[in-house]
Amino acid sequence: MNFKKIMLLILAMMVLISCGKGAKNKDTKEKEIILGYFKDTGDLNPHLYSGEMFAQNLIFEGLVSIGQNGEFKPSLAESWKISEDGKTYVFNLRKDVKFNDGEKFNAEVAKLNFEAILTNINRHKWLQSVTLMDNVIKSGGKAIEATGEYELTIRLSAPYYPFLVELGVTRPFRFISPKAFINGTTKEGVSALSGTGPYMLSETKKDQYSIFVENPNYWGNKPSIKKVVVKVIPENQTRVMALEKGEIDMIFGSGMLDAESFNNFKNSKEFETKLSEPSSTRLLLLNTTDKILKDKNIRKAIQHIVDKKTIGKFILSDTESPADFVLAENVPYANVGLKPYEYNVVEAEKILDEAGWIKLPNQKIREKNGEKLKIQISYNTNNPTDRSISEFLQGEFLKVGIELDLLGEEDQTYKDRLRAGKFQMAGYVSWGNPYEPHSFLGAMTSPIIYGDYVAQQGVPDKKEIDKSILKALESTSEEERQNNYKFVLERLHDEAVYIPISYERNRVVYSKKVKKVSFDVSKYNIPIYDMELN
């Protein structure tokens, strides 16, 4: 073989090798999706609450899962039985499950996880199920017991109808490998994020990106998308531009994308858009302990000056319908015959006049005893819709003589302010399916969950409201449960603690190369494991 033929042969081999490498890289790239998100995914320890739920849901699983229609489906438990008195649950666990670190999942491991949660009971006490397990332990019983290698028994001190829901949602009842525990628990953190879910975290750089790859030990159907890159892009328009340029493949979530931008993608040749069914209620939360808002007349006046139809048309671009109540009437137990507050500026001014807040000649802002009627609204700057609504309300309030100051803060600072009760009025949202009404109302009885508990402290019968919530959660009688929920919803409505704005819908815009895009029963989850790529 002469030199020329040898060189041609070498060149051909190099082309083949290069093409092979290219095909491999292309194949890997085709199985990767890049998601634009407003913040870092955070601490993903499933037994705590600081991490982003959609990311925790990729890594960790519960005993049961919840279907789109609210039905309970097997997950790490293949089946379960509930005692007639509603206090004892026996779960038959899967026998083919390993954590991504290779550790076997069984009843003893499940027991250790529940015990780790209970060692941090003060953090979880807003969950009534945690209190009911702890009561069993305090009375000398066994709340969590491995009654077989793959049989787990959980005992509660009283019936608790939402228990399976709490086991099915993203946190805290998810399972992490005991190898990752620190000092035998998880409340001080974990040494690794070892779960049983379809993905595992492979790399993260704070405030820049997180990368999730397929869990090789996953027991279920392997996800079609093998790699998930979450790119941190805090600002709304920057996220939109990144999608248009092809730097990301998807923007998922109602808080990730303003309605106008969403609608601009509707007729795009390169992108698809989807809206979920109404998932939660967009609200304003009023602090009844505030020196101005403690007056129920002021709170009721504000109810009458929030123009929901205008907000729906010009800010939400008709993607959400106006809301009349804290919980939509199709939420279980929430259709209790309440009368909506109508938009009526004249009525609002009448209420303010009668409450002694007078608009003096040549002055725009009302006064009472020399004090101006001035209210501050807190909102999350990472949510473009909250910002737009707050700016709109500033002008509307001024029409009736109320000065509305705007305080926009980034997500965590805003949440910390609400939890501490250091706010007058705040942009807010209910929890949505599958958390309503039980979890959303149940959290109102605890000061450790955002601002509801603190905001309601000025309501005269707050203690009765809390008692009624707990009675509803533990009741085995549908009639008694309904009556307790009715009392709670009527009192919150009459006291004007919340101002409903719209029934929020989840949004997603994505490249047409992404297929089988859908919504989870929870607005906080992104079901990437069900999606495919062209």
Side-chain angles (χ1 to χ4, degrees):
M1 186 179 292
N2 61 33
F3 178 76
K4 185 176 182 180
K5 287 182 177 181
I6 291 172
M7 291 302 296
L8 286 171
L9 182 61
I10 292 172
L11 182 62
M13 290 175 67
M14 289 176 66
V15 169
L16 285 171
I17 292 170
S18 175
C19 288
K21 286 182 177 178
K24 184 176 180 181
N25 290 337
K26 183 183 177 189
D27 182 61
T28 303
K29 196 73 174 175
E30 282 180 347
K31 294 179 180 179
E32 171 186 301
I33 188 170
I34 304 175
L35 186 74
Y37 202 66
F38 78 105
K39 64 183 291 190
D40 188 79
T41 53
D43 178 5
L44 298 181
N45 178 353
H47 297 169
L48 298 179
Y49 300 94
S50 59
E52 292 305 290
M53 293 172 71
F54 82 92
Q56 290 172 320
N57 194 56
L58 297 177
I59 302 173
F60 304 102
E61 297 176 297
L63 293 174
V64 302
S65 63
I66 305 172
Q68 280 290 353
N69 297 317
E71 72 278 15
F72 300 112
K73 302 191 295 185
S75 184
L76 295 183
E78 292 182 314
S79 63
W80 53 90
K81 291 181 180 179
I82 307 171
S83 64
E84 286 188 15
D85 64 3
K87 298 180 184 180
T88 302
Y89 291 71
V90 179
F91 296 91
N92 295 309
L93 309 183
R94 296 188 62 89
K95 299 178 178 64
D96 57 347
V97 179
K98 288 184 178 180
F99 292 92
N100 62 43
D101 64 2
E103 183 79 356
K104 185 170 70 171
F105 174 78
N106 57 24
E108 185 59 34
V109 167
K111 175 176 175 285
L112 290 173
N113 273 262
F114 273 95
E115 289 174 344
I117 293 168
L118 290 173
T119 60
N120 196 18
I121 189 169
N122 288 334
R123 183 65 184 90
H124 303 295
K125 224 168 185 178
W126 67 275
L127 288 162
Q128 184 65 2
S129 59
V130 171
T131 297
L132 297 178
M133 284 184 269
D134 188 53
N135 288 344
V136 172
I137 295 170
K138 286 178 178 177
S139 65
K142 293 183 178 180
I144 315 295
E145 187 178 8
T147 45
E149 185 177 2
Y150 293 98
E151 183 181 273
L152 181 72
T153 298
I154 300 177
R155 299 179 182 91
L156 309 176
S157 62
Y160 185 65
Y161 86 91
F163 189 44
L164 286 179
V165 177
E166 292 185 0
L167 295 181
V169 297
T170 305
R171 59 195 187 197
F173 299 116
R174 295 283 171 116
F175 298 96
I176 188 166
S177 171
K179 289 182 180 178
F181 286 16
I182 296 176
N183 297 325
T185 186
T186 56
K187 69 178 181 179
E188 298 170 3
V190 291
S191 61
L193 296 168
S194 305
T196 64
Y199 293 96
M200 57 186 187
L201 183 67
S202 68
E203 183 182 349
T204 186
K205 191 166 185 180
K206 187 172 175 56
D207 296 328
Q208 294 189 36
Y209 63 83
S210 294
I211 299 174
F212 301 84
V213 297
E214 182 183 11
N215 174 8
N217 291 329
Y218 187 51
W219 59 271
N221 295 326
K222 303 295 183 183
S224 175
I225 296 175
K226 305 300 182 184
K227 184 178 180 182
V228 181
V229 179
V230 181
K231 193 172 181 180
V232 180
I233 308 175
E235 208 275 320
N236 174 66
Q237 287 305 316
T238 308
R239 283 193 297 273
V240 170
M241 291 173 60
L243 185 64
E244 291 172 335
K245 292 177 182 178
E247 296 171 359
I248 60 176
D249 302 311
M250 179 180 290
I251 302 174
F252 195 111
S254 60
M256 297 298 106
L257 188 73
D258 67 284
E260 182 180 0
S261 298
F262 175 85
N263 283 338
N264 289 340
F265 280 106
K266 277 188 174 179
N267 298 317
S268 170
K269 294 180 180 180
E270 298 178 28
F271 302 97
E272 296 278 2
T273 63
K274 279 190 178 182
L275 272 177
S276 73
E277 292 299 311
S279 60
S280 50
T281 312
R282 193 183 297 278
L283 305 158
L284 296 175
L285 174 62
L286 307 185
N287 190 342
T288 63
T289 68
D290 176 71
K291 65 178 182 178
I292 291 177
L293 293 176
K294 67 182 180 181
D295 184 347
K296 183 165 70 171
N297 292 311
I298 304 296
R299 303 197 300 269
K300 289 202 169 187
I302 293 173
Q303 290 276 8
H304 291 296
I305 59 176
V306 176
D307 188 352
K308 302 167 188 179
K309 288 184 179 179
T310 298
I311 291 172
K313 183 175 182 179
F314 293 102
I315 297 178
L316 301 173
S317 302
D318 293 322
T319 59
E320 299 175 12
S321 58
D324 290 323
F325 311 112
V326 173
L327 296 178
E329 290 182 312
N330 63 345
V331 171
Y333 309 106
N335 188 356
V336 295
L338 299 174
K339 183 182 178 181
Y341 290 94
E342 63 176 345
Y343 174 63
N344 189 330
V345 173
V346 174
E347 178 65 18
E349 291 185 314
K350 179 184 175 184
I351 293 172
L352 292 173
D353 287 341
E354 292 175 351
W357 292 93
I358 306 301
K359 194 184 289 187
L360 298 174
N362 302 319
Q363 288 191 348
K364 292 183 178 180
I365 307 302
R366 292 174 179 269
E367 290 186 9
K368 182 178 181 180
N369 300 326
E371 181 180 10
K372 290 186 179 297
L373 185 47
K374 183 176 179 181
I375 299 170
Q376 185 180 75
I377 182 169
S378 302
Y379 67 91
N380 182 354
T381 55
N382 297 114
N383 188 319
T385 303
D386 281 2
R387 177 186 299 175
S388 297
I389 290 174
S390 298
E391 291 171 349
F392 170 77
L393 290 176
Q394 190 174 42
E396 294 298 292
F397 278 42
L398 188 60
K399 290 178 184 178
V400 298
I402 302 175
E403 182 179 346
L404 186 66
D405 286 347
L406 308 186
L407 178 62
E409 296 174 305
E410 63 87 27
D411 183 70
Q412 194 56 53
T413 305
Y414 155 83
K415 288 178 179 176
D416 290 343
R417 177 177 295 280
L418 262 61
R419 187 179 288 114
K422 296 179 179 179
F423 68 97
Q424 288 183 284
M425 182 166 73
Y428 207 56
V429 67
S430 74
W431 293 16
N433 290 330
Y435 298 92
E436 293 175 351
H438 48 277
S439 293
F440 177 56
L441 297 183
M444 294 177 183
T445 67
S446 172
I448 63 175
I449 303 296
Y450 302 135
D452 301 272
Y453 179 84
V454 177
Q456 295 174 19
Q457 290 303 304
V459 175
D461 53 354
K462 168 61 175 168
K463 289 183 179 179
E464 289 303 312
I465 290 173
D466 288 356
K467 286 179 182 178
S468 295
I469 291 171
L470 296 179
K471 284 179 183 178
L473 294 175
E474 295 182 12
S475 176
T476 57
S477 162
E478 284 288 329
E479 183 180 0
E480 182 183 356
R481 189 182 300 160
Q482 179 66 77
N483 288 338
N484 279 292
Y485 279 135
K486 185 175 188 291
F487 171 77
V488 172
L489 294 173
E490 284 177 343
R491 295 300 300 122
L492 295 178
H493 184 74
D494 182 65
E495 289 290 334
V497 181
Y498 299 86
I499 300 178
I501 294 177
S502 65
Y503 294 121
E504 187 183 47
R505 301 174 75 178
N506 222 349
R507 305 170 188 154
V508 57
V509 179
Y510 56 97
S511 165
K512 288 192 173 182
K513 73 177 185 180
V514 189
K515 304 298 179 184
K516 295 188 176 181
V517 176
S518 63
F519 297 100
D520 189 81
V521 64
S522 167
K523 66 178 182 177
Y524 304 105
N525 291 337
I526 305 175
I528 294 170
Y529 33 77
D530 291 333
M531 299 179 192
E532 296 179 358
L533 295 171
N534 271 349

